[in-house]
Amino acid sequence: MRFDVTILGSSSATPIYNRNPTSQALNINDHYYLIDCGEGTQQQMLRFDVKASRIDHIFISHLHGDHYLGLVGLLSSLHLNGRIKPLKLYGPAPLMEIINLQLKYSETVIQYEIDFRATDATKAEVILDNQDIIVETIPLDHRIPCTGFIFRQKKRLRKLIKDRIDQLQIPVPYFSALKKGGDYTAPDGKVYANEELTTAPDEPKTYAYCSDTMYNPNYFEQIKGATLLYHEATFLHNMHDRALQTHHTTALQAGEIAVITQAQRLLIGHFSARYKSLNELLEEAQSVFPETELAIEGKTFIIGD
Amino acid sequence: MRFDVTILGSSSATPIYNRNPTSQALNINDHYYLIDCGEGTQQQMLRFDVKASRIDHIFISHLHGDHYLGLVGLLSSLHLNGRIKPLKLYGPAPLMEIINLQLKYSETVIQYEIDFRATDATKAEVILDNQDIIVETIPLDHRIPCTGFIFRQKKRLRKLIKDRIDQLQIPVPYFSALKKGGDYTAPDGKVYANEELTTAPDEPKTYAYCSDTMYNPNYFEQIKGATLLYHEATFLHNMHDRALQTHHTTALQAGEIAVITQAQRLLIGHFSARYKSLNELLEEAQSVFPETELAIEGKTFIIGD
C-alpha cells in the first residue's frame, strides 16, 4: 500500500521566493490527504503533479494564515472544475465561518458537499477511521488553538503462505479466518496452527505531523515510535528566546523530540524566512538525531522504507 | 515621472501552472498602487522584484476569489515585516468584514492603520486625488458588484525655458506663477508672454483597468482616450455565449472596445485556464485593434511611450 508524503510548502509566516507556506499531500493508497493549505497550494499541486481530484480529505491545523489561506481558492477551483463528490474537511470550528463568508460574497454555491468536522485543540481525538487509516488529532502548544495529526495505518491481516494452502487444499471460505489469525481444522480433524499457514503482516506505519508548536512533552507519548515524524523547526537554537515567545520549536529541540519519542525518521520544516539556506537547521537537528531530513518542496518521502 | 504597470497575474478563476490569478503593480513616481491581489501575489512580487514596502494603495475590483485571495496574506506579511505607515485600501464594503474575521481568528492585531474606503459599483466616483494621480472607479457589469479603476495623471505644470529665464535674470520667486501659465513683467515694465518663457507640459496620461466585465457601453465614455487600456478578454469569440453567461468579455470585443473608446494601446488579460497558448486571443483582438498586447506575467508596460 502506498504511503508517502509530498511537501508542497515549508515556509513559516511570510513566504520567501520559491518557498511557499505550509502544505503537504499525504498519499495513502493513491488517495490524497491534504495537510494544511497555505497560500499558493493550488499552484504547488500543479507544479508537483498532485491531482486535486484525488483529494477527499483536508486537514487544517490552525487558523494562522500560512496554514490555510490557500483553502478557499482550492475549494472554489474544485467546484469550477466540476467536482461533485463530497469532501471531508477537518479544522478549527471557525474555519467554516470564514469559508462561508467568502463564498457568500462571491455568490458561489459549492456544488459538492463539504463535510466539516471541527477539531478540538484541548484533547486527542480520532477524527477519521476508514479502511486504510486512523487519524487522530494531536493537541499542540501554539499561540492559538492548534492540532497536529497522526496517521496510523490499520493493522494489516496476516499473509497466507500460498504453498501450504495449496498443499492442504484449504478452501477459499477459510481464508478470511486464517488471515485474522485463526487455526485450521482439516476434514480429517487434524489442526494446523495459524503460524504454519500464514506469516505476520507488515507492522502498521505511522506519520505524525506536528506544526505549529513549542516544545511541550504533553504530546510526546502520543507520537511515540512514529515511522516518520514531521516536526516544525522554525528557528535555530540560538533563537530559542524567539521560539519561546512565538510558540515555535528550534531545530535542536525537534531533534531531541525525535530522540525522546523514538521516531524512526525526522522531517523538519516550517522554516523562518530569515534562513535563506537550510543547512544549519539540518545540521543542528542531525547533531542529536542523525536520521533527519529537510522538508524540501516537491520532495516525496516514503513512510517506512 | 515614472508611470508603468507590471503584470503579476493574468489568469481567471482557476490558476494554471505558471499563470497566477489577477494582480498588477502600477508604478507611479516610484510608489506602487496594487490593483487586485489574487492568491500568490506575494510570491509574484518576490519573483518580479516589486517591493511591498513601496505599496501605499491597494485597489480590489470585486470579491471573486481570483481577485483578492492573496490580500490577507499580504497584509499579514506587511505587519510581520514591521510596517507602521498607513495603507489605503479600496474595495467592496464586505472586504473589511472578511479581513477582520480572518485577523480575529488568527489573533493578529495589524500594527499599521488600514484606511479603508468602500467602493460603490453603481456609479463612477473619484476615490483618490493626490499630487500625482486622480483615481476614479469604473462601474462594470459583472455577476457581483465590480468596479474597474481609471488612473489619470494630474495635469502637469508648464516647463521653464532655462536659457530665456537666465537671459532675463528672472528671480526664483516668479517661477511658480510662470509654470502655471502667468506672464512676466520685468522691472523695466516690459511684459513677456508666458509662451516665450515656457513650453507646454506633457499631456497627462491615463491607465484604465477593466476587469471583470461583460461588454457594456455604459462605461465606454468614461474610459475614452486611455493611454493604455487594460481590458479583460477571458474567452475567444467562439465562446461568446459562455462569456455572456459568465459576464465576461471576448478578445474580439476587447479589441472593439479599444477602437470605440479610442484607446492608444490595449492590454488584454484574465485568460481562461482553457487556453494553454494565448496566441489566438492576441490575434483575435489585434484583428480589430492592432495595438494590442498580452498581459504576460512579469512584463512591465510603460504608459505613454
Side-chain angles (χ1 to χ4, degrees):
Chain A
M1 189 177 92
R2 194 169 162 184
F3 193 34
D4 59 46
V5 62
T6 298
I7 307 303
L8 300 174
S10 62
S11 186
S12 73
T14 55
I16 73 168
Y17 181 49
N18 256 341
R19 224 153 76 201
N20 277 260
T22 299
S23 184
Q24 302 188 356
L26 185 64
N27 187 321
I28 303 176
N29 217 5
D30 287 327
H31 294 275
Y32 281 116
Y33 295 65
L34 192 72
I35 311 170
D36 280 336
C37 187
E39 185 180 345
T41 294
Q42 285 188 84
Q43 278 287 3
Q44 296 291 84
M45 288 168 54
L46 291 166
R47 188 171 166 197
F48 300 124
D49 202 26
V50 170
K51 299 217 180 333
S53 58
R54 292 210 178 156
I55 297 176
D56 291 326
H57 303 83
I58 301 178
F59 302 84
I60 302 295
S61 62
H62 67 301
L63 295 180
H64 280 151
D66 54 326
H67 292 258
Y68 85 94
L69 286 180
L71 183 61
V72 170
L74 175 61
L75 297 178
S76 300
S77 292
L78 292 172
H79 164 73
L80 291 168
N81 290 329
R83 184 186 181 105
I84 49 169
K85 66 176 171 168
L87 179 90
K88 287 185 193 290
L89 176 64
Y90 309 83
L95 182 59
M96 274 317 292
E97 184 186 348
I98 291 170
I99 293 169
N100 285 333
L101 187 73
Q102 294 185 269
L103 294 178
K104 173 181 143 190
Y105 288 121
S106 73
E107 296 183 15
T108 303
V109 180
I110 296 280
Q111 70 198 337
Y112 58 90
E113 186 199 346
I114 298 176
D115 178 6
F116 179 69
R117 171 162 179 165
T119 52
D120 178 347
T122 66
K123 58 181 177 187
E125 287 181 298
V126 171
I127 53 171
L128 172 64
D129 184 341
N130 64 23
Q131 74 279 13
D132 294 325
I133 205 85
I134 297 173
V135 186
E136 292 165 24
T137 53
I138 308 169
L140 298 175
D141 187 351
H142 197 43
R143 302 197 299 283
I144 61 172
C146 181
T147 70
F149 302 99
I150 184 160
F151 298 80
R152 299 184 194 278
Q153 276 187 327
K154 284 284 179 73
K155 198 167 160 52
R156 314 284 287 280
L157 296 172
R158 295 183 68 83
K159 298 178 201 168
L160 302 178
I161 302 172
K162 194 167 178 303
D163 286 352
R164 289 290 288 149
I165 301 296
D166 291 349
Q167 205 174 29
L168 295 170
Q169 299 185 328
I170 302 178
V172 171
Y174 289 83
F175 289 2
S176 172
L178 286 173
K179 287 180 183 171
K180 289 176 186 157
D183 298 331
Y184 171 63
T185 307
D188 64 5
K190 183 169 177 192
V191 175
Y192 295 85
N194 187 277
E195 291 70 26
E196 279 187 63
L197 307 171
T198 68
T199 54
D202 296 335
E203 269 302 296
K205 298 174 179 66
T206 57
Y207 179 58
Y209 172 88
C210 301
S211 185
D212 297 3
T213 188
M214 63 192 289
Y215 182 103
N216 184 331
N218 286 345
Y219 59 88
F220 292 179
E221 182 61 30
Q222 192 190 357
I223 63 172
K224 199 171 171 184
T227 314
L228 180 62
L229 167 63
Y230 168 84
H231 204 288
E232 72 130 294
T234 308
F235 300 108
L236 285 171
H237 204 69
N238 61 15
M239 293 199 69
H240 184 223
D241 287 353
R242 178 91 182 131
L244 276 177
Q245 186 192 348
T246 56
H247 284 232
H248 285 300
T249 305
T250 68
L252 188 78
Q253 291 177 318
E256 286 170 356
I257 293 165
V259 172
I260 295 166
T261 65
Q262 300 167 33
Q264 289 179 30
R265 277 161 81 211
L266 171 65
L267 194 56
I268 56 171
H270 200 263
F271 310 117
S272 165
R274 78 191 60 226
Y275 303 113
K276 305 306 173 210
S277 154
L278 303 172
N279 287 342
E280 280 188 87
L281 290 154
L282 179 62
E283 286 163 14
E284 185 171 286
Q286 283 179 334
S287 71
V288 284
F289 189 80
E291 294 298 312
T292 304
E293 289 180 84
L294 293 169
I296 298 290
E297 292 180 15
K299 207 163 168 184
T300 297
F301 298 87
I302 294 170
I303 298 157
D305 282 310
Chain B
M1 189 175 93
R2 195 168 161 184
F3 193 35
D4 59 46
V5 61
T6 298
I7 307 304
L8 299 174
S10 61
S11 187
S12 72
T14 55
I16 73 170
Y17 181 48
N18 257 340
R19 225 153 74 201
N20 278 260
T22 300
S23 185
Q24 302 187 356
L26 185 64
N27 187 320
I28 303 175
N29 217 4
D30 287 326
H31 294 275
Y32 281 116
Y33 295 66
L34 192 72
I35 311 171
D36 281 336
C37 187
E39 185 180 345
T41 295
Q42 285 188 83
Q43 279 286 3
Q44 296 290 85
M45 286 167 53
L46 291 166
R47 187 171 168 198
F48 300 124
D49 202 26
V50 170
K51 301 221 178 331
S53 58
R54 292 208 179 160
I55 297 175
D56 291 326
H57 302 84
I58 301 179
F59 302 84
I60 301 296
S61 62
H62 67 300
L63 295 180
H64 281 152
D66 55 327
H67 292 258
Y68 85 94
L69 287 179
L71 183 60
V72 170
L74 175 60
L75 297 179
S76 300
S77 292
L78 290 174
H79 163 74
L80 291 167
N81 289 330
R83 183 187 182 105
I84 49 167
K85 63 176 173 169
L87 180 90
K88 288 184 191 292
L89 176 64
Y90 309 83
L95 182 58
M96 275 316 294
E97 183 185 349
I98 292 169
I99 293 168
N100 285 334
L101 187 73
Q102 293 184 270
L103 295 179
K104 172 181 143 190
Y105 287 121
S106 72
E107 297 184 13
T108 303
V109 180
I110 296 280
Q111 71 198 338
Y112 58 90
E113 185 200 346
I114 298 176
D115 178 6
F116 179 68
R117 171 162 179 164
T119 52
D120 178 347
T122 66
K123 59 180 176 189
E125 286 182 297
V126 172
I127 53 171
L128 173 63
D129 184 342
N130 65 22
Q131 75 278 16
D132 293 326
I133 205 85
I134 297 172
V135 186
E136 293 164 24
T137 54
I138 307 169
L140 298 175
D141 186 352
H142 198 43
R143 301 197 299 284
I144 61 172
C146 181
T147 69
F149 301 100
I150 185 159
F151 297 79
R152 300 184 194 278
Q153 277 186 327
K154 285 282 180 75
K155 196 167 162 54
R156 313 285 286 282
L157 296 172
R158 296 182 67 83
K159 297 178 202 168
L160 302 178
I161 303 170
K162 194 168 177 302
D163 288 351
R164 288 291 286 150
I165 302 296
D166 290 350
Q167 206 175 28
L168 296 170
Q169 298 183 328
I170 300 176
V172 172
Y174 289 83
F175 289 3
S176 172
L178 285 174
K179 286 180 184 173
K180 287 175 185 156
D183 298 332
Y184 170 64
T185 307
D188 63 4
K190 184 169 178 193
V191 175
Y192 296 85
N194 187 279
E195 290 69 26
E196 278 187 64
L197 308 171
T198 68
T199 55
D202 296 336
E203 269 302 295
K205 297 174 178 67
T206 58
Y207 179 58
Y209 172 88
C210 301
S211 185
D212 296 4
T213 187
M214 62 192 290
Y215 183 102
N216 184 330
N218 286 345
Y219 59 89
F220 291 180
E221 182 61 30
Q222 193 190 356
I223 63 172
K224 199 168 170 185
T227 314
L228 180 62
L229 167 63
Y230 169 83
H231 203 286
E232 71 129 295
T234 308
F235 300 108
L236 285 171
H237 205 70
N238 60 16
M239 293 199 68
H240 183 225
D241 287 354
R242 179 89 182 132
L244 275 178
Q245 188 192 346
T246 56
H247 284 233
H248 284 301
T249 305
T250 69
L252 189 76
Q253 290 177 319
E256 286 171 355
I257 293 165
V259 172
I260 294 166
T261 65
Q262 299 166 32
Q264 289 179 29
R265 278 162 81 212
L266 171 66
L267 194 57
I268 56 171
H270 200 263
F271 311 117
S272 165
R274 78 191 59 226
Y275 303 114
K276 306 306 173 210
S277 154
L278 304 172
N279 288 342
E280 281 188 88
L281 290 155
L282 180 63
E283 285 163 15
E284 185 171 286
Q286 283 179 333
S287 72
V288 284
F289 190 79
E291 294 299 311
T292 305
E293 289 181 83
L294 293 168
I296 299 290
E297 291 178 18
K299 207 163 169 186
T300 297
F301 298 88
I302 294 170
I303 298 158
D305 282 310

